[in-house]
Amino acid sequence: MSKNKIIIFGAGPSGLSTAYGVKKNSPQDIEMFEKKSSVGGLAGSFIMDKDFIDYGPHRLAIQNLKIKQIAESLLRSNILINKSQHGVQFKNRLYQFPPKIKDLINIKSIIIILKIISSYFLGKLHWFVNRYGNENFNEFIHHQFGKFFLDEIARPMSTKVWGDSNKIDPSFVTQRFSMIKPFEIFKQFIFPSPKLNPSIFYYPKYGGFQAIWDAMKESLENNKVKINLESYPTKIEIENSKIKYIEIQNKNGLVKLNTENSTVVSSIPIFNLIKIMNTNTDNLLNLAKEVRIRSMYLVIMKFNQNQTLPYRTLIFPEKEFIFNRIFEQNLYSRNTIEDNKSVIVADITFDKNSEFYSTDKIKEIVKEQIGKLNYINIDKLESIKVELIEHAYVSPEEQTRKNFQLIEKKLNEIENLELIGRFGVGEYDNSDYAILNGLNLSDYLTSKISKIEYDLIKSGSSQEKILG
């Protein structure tokens, strides 16, 4: 790749990590443009009543050496080493994950285990009879885990998080669930596996998860990277398969930049990128309109007590709960929440632009459902607020992924454009892999690896998602 200037749209984990990696490899000029007033994107934090609230239960899994080194370099003394604490609410009972054997020695749990085991073997028989049929999400889970697990856990959970399970791309299913094997789960009882649920992770002591991105921003600026906040592209002029100019809206007005000798890296939503291109993009816009985006409500509940949940993060797969997950912010770092208080956050995911409950109705439903959990004292609830994340996930349904591939194939014809990020390429990445993807792109941009090597790395990394 050229040693000329690199322009990056978006200062989320992908964009920041691309810039960070480039500066580690070379002295290239970099300029970044971020629409928000802070960096970090969906992996950042916001302040509510002087408390730091993350946009989800983020963490840095330290079994990857690159992630570990970056976290230690940026956070230094502002770092905590936390042990994983997960729970799963199922059949009116809370199970720790991985489960403890003593918690399973009761009639109800034994019956569930017997149903899972018998269903598992029937699922293998079903696969043998139907092994030449189409393998969609439901069929894959049926064959891999059995119909009981499909009907009671996987299908309702996937519907809440990703949408209609019948439409989910089969390749996404194998990527997301390939590491989870029934016998591996049983082995968790005795030998917990970090692949299924990383047992130790890093988290900032102060400032919420936002602290990692603020530290990366400071490091970049110290290395002469110009980061423009509250600035975003409004026009991209393309000639002869190359971006010649971009128009940027900032606090002072419009600025036009010559990019003929620059590489443009875009991590902004692909549909927003297409809209501002001057070429004929009608076909791409039609494809983008069919991309299904999932929005999310964060229901933030503050309690007048030091701790509310028995474990840091709880999963709610059953359809009777409107939320799919609850995490407790102060269990990530006590310093994020006011002393002697606790904050739990419930995730509710739905299709963007679809009709959904009003915020008042959401508060009512969540408070009622939370109040029924025997390990939560609802009388200690002080306040309940709702925060909307308009762009939370790209739904991994088959049509959406095909459209992303078609759009990306066409945009790859632009010589000095690179795409990255959850909404830039439609990958379902957590913050760890967003960092790694940014570092991989930086290696290519600085000629450390070839285009073929970069493409192979991208293809391989999608098969190695860390779960949990």
Side-chain angles (χ1 to χ4, degrees):
M1 289 294 290
S2 168
K3 298 293 184 182
N4 293 320
K5 184 174 181 178
I6 295 173
I7 293 173
I8 301 176
F9 298 156
S14 298
L16 288 170
S17 301
T18 299
Y20 189 82
V22 167
K23 278 299 181 181
K24 288 289 184 182
N25 293 340
S26 80
Q28 281 180 258
D29 289 338
I30 304 173
E31 187 166 6
M32 305 183 69
F33 298 95
E34 168 56 47
K35 190 173 185 178
K36 293 171 64 178
S37 59
S38 61
V39 299
L42 290 177
S45 314
F46 59 95
I47 297 176
M48 180 174 286
D49 299 331
K50 299 182 180 180
D51 298 322
F52 283 91
I53 312 295
D54 293 341
Y55 287 110
H58 297 286
R59 58 196 186 166
L60 296 169
I62 61 176
Q63 60 265 51
N64 184 285
L65 185 59
K66 288 183 179 179
I67 299 293
K68 184 175 185 293
Q69 289 174 339
I70 287 176
E72 292 172 351
S73 173
L74 292 174
L75 294 176
R76 299 189 181 185
S77 61
N78 184 28
I79 199 166
L80 294 172
I81 301 177
N82 287 336
K83 289 186 176 181
S84 183
Q85 296 176 349
H86 277 64
V88 179
Q89 178 75 24
F90 186 64
K91 299 295 182 183
N92 297 315
R93 188 181 181 90
L94 181 64
Y95 294 92
Q96 184 178 353
F97 184 83
K100 293 182 177 178
I101 294 178
K102 66 181 181 66
D103 295 331
L104 300 175
I105 304 176
N106 59 79
I107 295 298
K108 192 171 185 178
S109 297
I110 291 172
I111 291 173
I112 291 173
I113 291 171
L114 291 174
K115 285 182 178 180
I116 290 175
I117 292 173
S118 61
S119 179
Y120 167 76
F121 286 108
L122 288 174
K124 293 303 179 185
L125 177 62
H126 180 79
W127 171 82
F128 183 79
V129 174
N130 301 278
R131 62 189 182 279
Y132 299 115
N134 292 328
E135 185 88 326
N136 57 23
F137 174 90
N138 295 331
E139 286 297 304
F140 179 89
I141 300 299
H142 186 174
H143 298 158
Q144 191 82 344
F145 298 95
K147 197 168 187 304
F148 180 83
F149 184 88
L150 169 67
D151 291 341
E152 300 294 333
I153 298 176
R155 188 176 1 226
M157 186 66 177
S158 66
T159 300
K160 286 197 287 186
V161 178
W162 301 318
D164 188 349
S165 63
N166 290 304
K167 297 180 179 179
I168 293 178
D169 183 3
S171 64
F172 172 81
V173 181
T174 54
Q175 288 171 15
R176 196 70 182 172
F177 292 91
S178 61
M179 288 184 296
I180 303 181
K181 309 291 184 184
F183 287 109
E184 287 294 324
I185 293 178
F186 291 133
K187 282 166 61 179
Q188 285 283 311
F189 298 166
I190 304 172
F191 305 110
S193 167
K195 281 191 174 183
L196 288 178
N197 191 33
S199 57
I200 297 176
F201 63 94
Y202 281 159
Y203 188 87
K205 187 175 182 179
Y206 299 100
F209 208 67
Q210 182 68 40
I212 184 72
W213 315 119
D214 288 343
M216 191 174 284
K217 174 177 178 287
E218 182 180 359
S219 174
L220 289 171
E221 289 177 329
N222 288 339
N223 279 282
K224 299 181 181 180
V225 174
K226 187 176 181 182
I227 302 177
N228 304 278
L229 299 177
E230 299 180 64
S231 304
Y232 55 94
T234 57
K235 189 176 182 181
I236 296 176
E237 297 184 26
I238 302 170
E239 292 179 23
N240 300 321
S241 300
K242 201 165 188 179
I243 299 175
K244 295 296 182 75
Y245 294 94
I246 59 173
E247 196 172 71
I248 300 292
Q249 176 72 55
N250 60 30
K251 290 176 282 188
N252 300 318
L254 289 174
V255 178
K256 192 172 184 179
L257 300 178
N258 186 319
T259 57
E260 189 171 5
N261 296 316
S262 300
T263 297
V264 177
V265 175
S266 178
S267 66
I268 66 176
I270 196 77
F271 25 85
N272 291 346
L273 182 70
I274 294 169
K275 287 178 184 177
I276 61 177
M277 290 181 169
N278 70 322
T279 56
N280 184 5
T281 57
D282 289 345
N283 183 47
L284 295 183
L285 283 173
N286 289 332
L287 290 171
K289 287 177 183 176
E290 296 178 11
V291 167
R292 191 177 297 278
I293 300 299
R294 301 285 283 173
S295 297
M296 179 185 290
Y297 278 118
L298 299 179
V299 185
I300 302 138
M301 293 156 278
K302 191 166 187 175
F303 287 77
N304 185 25
Q305 57 189 9
N306 194 54
Q307 181 175 335
T308 297
L309 302 181
Y311 309 118
R312 187 178 289 113
T313 302
L314 307 184
I315 307 300
F316 293 81
E318 296 169 297
K319 60 184 178 181
E320 67 181 273
F321 294 99
I322 191 174
F323 42 85
N324 60 77
R325 176 178 61 187
I326 298 177
F327 73 94
E328 185 161 347
Q329 180 65 60
N330 43 282
L331 292 184
Y332 281 82
S333 171
R334 179 66 261 179
N335 299 294
T336 56
I337 302 300
E338 181 184 356
D339 289 343
N340 301 315
K341 307 288 183 180
S342 59
V343 169
I344 68 173
V345 183
D347 296 352
I348 301 173
T349 314
F350 60 98
D351 279 343
K352 183 179 179 295
N353 298 326
S354 66
E355 292 187 8
F356 201 66
Y357 297 114
S358 67
T359 55
D360 287 339
K361 185 63 176 177
I362 288 172
K363 291 178 186 177
E364 178 187 330
I365 294 172
V366 171
K367 184 177 179 181
E368 179 186 358
Q369 293 184 351
I370 288 288
K372 292 179 180 178
L373 300 172
N374 58 16
Y375 44 84
I376 293 182
N377 184 356
I378 198 66
D379 294 334
K380 295 286 187 177
L381 180 65
E382 279 190 354
S383 66
I384 180 168
K385 298 180 181 180
V386 178
E387 181 85 5
L388 172 65
I389 301 176
E390 187 177 4
H391 296 88
Y393 301 120
V394 175
S395 177
E397 65 179 44
E398 193 166 10
Q399 189 59 53
T400 287
R401 299 197 115 199
K402 284 181 179 178
N403 286 6
F404 256 104
Q405 291 167 0
L406 291 171
I407 292 170
E408 189 175 1
K409 182 179 179 181
K410 183 65 177 176
L411 294 184
N412 280 341
E413 296 175 4
I414 302 173
E415 295 175 17
N416 58 339
L417 174 66
E418 295 292 335
L419 304 176
I420 196 171
R422 177 176 287 188
F423 294 97
V425 294
E427 283 292 342
Y428 192 88
D429 287 339
N430 58 24
S431 54
D432 288 339
Y433 279 94
I435 292 173
L436 294 177
N437 289 339
L439 296 178
N440 291 334
L441 176 56
S442 72
D443 285 346
Y444 167 57
L445 293 175
T446 56
S447 301
K448 193 173 179 181
I449 59 174
S450 67
K451 176 65 173 173
I452 293 176
E453 288 174 307
Y454 177 55
D455 289 340
L456 287 173
I457 289 171
K458 283 198 299 182
S459 175
S461 66
S462 68
Q463 307 296 326
E464 300 174 354
K465 306 299 183 189
I466 292 178
L467 304 181

